[in-house]
């Protein structure tokens, strides 16, 4: 991960909360494939890290949360032909796939402008905290592009269909206040309160039985992709597996003994 002086993804750990800070101020917190790969590595590792029980995603500064994609810090050769151009978005696609499949709870802290793939970075979180008046623009159509990096898979599963058409086909800017009225924001705050509010939610998430939370969010997301029979069988398997965990047995013991459970995330 990036150092304190270079641009990229900064990672800190605070009592079970992994704080991921997107730090690319030279691009107004837009990010290229190299930074997407940093996110992907962390998301894939987090599923089996005992020291990561929840994740907070934020950006440097309060003017821009994320303005979408940008060139990598180490430029890669442009594709030679149209067929090869299909793979340009692969690093971002892999990143958001890993984020979608992540079995750790995620909170996003959104301040400032959101554009392009910034929508996915914010809205693929399990809980979204946003500053009042922060501006969101889908941007692709106005730039002569079509949605990519997984946008066309994820956003129809998150945003009501006709609202999605409004933002994607017209390209109009909306505010977090509007998204809150559509049910997309969990906490709408004054700008000064966003970070503390998001961190409070991340700490509360970290205090939950981590594997139960992970399986629950996995099941909810899988239900958007598979048929009824497959989903119920996965739910039954998850329920059976979870009974073997330390936190499940600790919760049962604490109930019998009339005390508060001490959860370790295992």
């Amino acid at each position: 991960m990036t150092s304190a002086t270079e641009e990229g993804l900064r990672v800190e750990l605070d009592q079970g909360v992994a704080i991921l800070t997107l730090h690319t101020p030279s691009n107004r917190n837009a990010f290229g494939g190299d930074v997407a790969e940093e996110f992907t590595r962390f998301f894939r590792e987090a599923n089996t890290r005992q020291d990561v029980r929840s994740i907070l995603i934020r950006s440097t500064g309060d003017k821009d949360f994320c303005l979408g994609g940008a060139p990598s810090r180490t430029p890669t050769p442009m594709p030679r032909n149209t067929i090869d151009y299909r793979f340009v978005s692969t690093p971002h696609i892999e990143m958001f796939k890993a984020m979608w499949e992540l079995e750790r709870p995620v909170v996003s802290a959104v301040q400032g402008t959101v554009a392009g793939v910034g929508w996915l970075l914010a809205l693929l979180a399990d809980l979204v905290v946003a500053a009042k008046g922060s501006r969101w623009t889908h941007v692709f159509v106005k730039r002569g592009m079509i949605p990519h990096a997984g946008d066309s898979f994820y956003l129809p599963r998150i945003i009501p269909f006709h609202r999605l058409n409004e933002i994607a086909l017209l390209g109009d800017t909306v505010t977090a206040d509007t998204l809150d009225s559509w049910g997309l924001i969990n906490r709408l705050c004054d700008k000064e309160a966003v970070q503390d509010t998001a961190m409070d939610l991340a700490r509360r998430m970290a205090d939950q039985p981590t594997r139960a939370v992970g399986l629950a969010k996995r099941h909810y997301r899988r239900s958007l992709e598979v048929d009824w029979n497959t989903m119920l069988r996965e739910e039954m398997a998850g329920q059976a597996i979870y009974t073997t965990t330390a936190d499940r047995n600790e919760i049962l013991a604490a109930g019998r003994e009339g005390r508060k459970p001490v959860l370790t995330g295992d």
Side-chain angles (χ1 to χ4, degrees):
M1 302 304 172
T2 186
S3 70
T5 56
E6 64 181 340
E7 295 198 347
L9 178 65
R10 294 178 174 176
V11 179
E12 308 165 63
L13 288 172
D14 186 349
Q15 299 178 345
V17 179
I19 304 169
L20 308 188
T21 305
L22 175 61
H23 178 68
T24 56
S26 66
N27 285 320
R28 296 183 63 187
N29 289 330
F31 64 99
D34 48 355
V35 177
E37 289 169 355
E38 294 179 39
F39 272 108
T40 301
R41 282 193 294 272
F42 182 85
F43 291 149
R44 289 176 176 166
E45 293 170 1
N47 277 331
T48 55
R49 285 184 56 165
Q50 191 69 18
D51 59 344
V52 176
R53 296 182 63 184
S54 71
I55 296 170
L56 171 63
I57 295 177
R58 65 185 186 182
S59 295
T60 299
D62 59 10
K63 183 178 179 181
D64 300 303
F65 174 71
C66 174
L67 258 64
S72 295
R73 289 168 293 178
T74 303
T76 56
M78 287 297 292
R80 291 186 303 138
N81 58 46
T82 303
I83 293 175
D84 294 340
Y85 196 83
R86 291 176 300 160
F87 303 107
V88 168
S89 297
T90 297
H92 290 85
I93 289 171
E94 292 298 317
M95 170 192 164
F96 292 124
K97 180 176 184 288
M99 189 175 176
W100 179 259
E101 295 177 341
L102 183 62
E103 293 187 13
R104 293 292 188 270
V106 180
V107 179
S108 60
V110 181
Q111 296 169 249
T113 305
V114 183
V117 296
W119 284 72
L120 296 182
L121 185 62
L123 295 182
L124 289 189
D126 302 292
L127 299 178
V128 181
V129 179
K132 296 176 181 177
S134 55
R135 295 167 60 81
W136 300 55
T137 178
H138 197 248
V139 91
F140 292 111
V141 169
K142 286 196 171 182
R143 289 183 180 172
M145 307 167 71
I146 66 169
H148 54 266
D151 181 286
S152 58
F153 175 84
Y154 300 115
L155 289 192
R157 288 162 170 77
I158 297 170
I159 301 175
F161 192 69
H162 289 91
R163 297 298 193 184
L164 177 57
N165 287 339
E166 183 176 345
I167 63 169
L169 306 185
L170 294 176
D172 290 344
T173 297
V174 295
T175 65
D177 310 64
T178 298
L179 297 182
D180 181 56
S181 72
W182 294 354
L184 302 181
I185 307 296
N186 294 92
R187 301 287 188 275
L188 186 66
C189 309
D190 292 331
K191 181 173 63 176
E192 296 75 18
V194 168
Q195 296 297 327
D196 287 345
T197 302
M199 190 62 181
D200 177 66
L201 290 173
R203 291 194 189 285
R204 290 175 60 189
M205 289 279 206
D207 289 340
Q208 301 298 318
T210 304
R211 298 189 189 278
V213 170
L215 286 171
K217 66 172 284 186
R218 171 182 170 80
H219 290 161
Y220 286 138
R221 294 181 180 219
R222 281 285 286 162
S223 73
L224 299 172
E225 306 171 38
V226 301
D227 62 87
W228 176 89
N229 189 58
T230 300
M231 191 63 252
L232 290 193
R233 290 187 180 277
E234 289 197 20
E235 182 186 278
M236 291 162 64
Q239 183 181 22
I241 292 168
Y242 185 69
T243 63
T244 67
T245 64
D247 277 352
R248 168 62 174 164
N249 289 313
E250 167 62 10
I251 289 170
L252 293 175
R256 290 192 299 268
E257 297 164 13
R259 58 177 175 82
K260 183 178 179 180
V262 179
L263 304 179
T264 64
D266 205 356

